[in-house]
Amino acid sequence: CAIELKFHDSMNVSQVAWGFFGAFCVPYLLLSLLRIFQMHYHHGAFIVLLPLLAAWGADTCALFSGMLFGKHKLAPVVSPKKTVEGAVGGVLSSCSSRL
């Protein structure tokens, strides 16, 4: 919103539409997460936190597998320390958690 106030002379309709989207839809989606979190009968806290914990676990396994086995750079320009072995370790750890 602050950027839109600064450049209010040169704004077009799509920028205003995205501003309304961000102002109304994003808080609505966050409130729906809060409502799911507060569900007691369906274990709402577990439903909200499980994807976060799965992503954290996959990232942690990718980090350690990349540190232990990493030899081939994945994208040296974008992120110099990312390796192919770390990416494979992250994918395998996320797949093995579903078994």
Side-chain angles (χ1 to χ4, degrees):
C1 286
I3 294 172
E4 292 176 3
L5 289 174
K6 183 177 180 182
F7 298 108
H8 69 280
D9 293 333
S10 62
M11 286 179 27
N12 57 20
V13 176
S14 67
Q15 290 173 321
V16 174
W18 279 110
F20 277 114
F21 175 76
F24 293 112
C25 291
V26 173
Y28 178 75
L29 294 173
L30 290 175
L31 284 174
S32 67
L33 272 179
L34 181 64
R35 288 186 66 190
I36 293 171
F37 190 80
Q38 292 173 347
M39 292 177 5
H40 296 291
Y41 179 70
H42 296 289
H43 306 287
F46 179 73
I47 293 171
V48 172
L49 294 177
L50 182 64
L52 299 174
L53 291 173
W56 173 75
D59 284 346
T60 303
C61 289
L63 172 73
F64 286 121
S65 63
M67 285 176 22
L68 290 174
F69 306 112
K71 301 255 188 268
H72 304 93
K73 299 290 182 185
L74 184 64
V77 175
V78 177
S79 183
K81 292 190 175 188
K82 298 263 190 288
T83 61
V84 174
E85 293 81 6
V88 170
V91 169
L92 289 177
S93 69
S94 67
C95 292
S96 67
S97 66
R98 293 180 177 225
L99 299 176

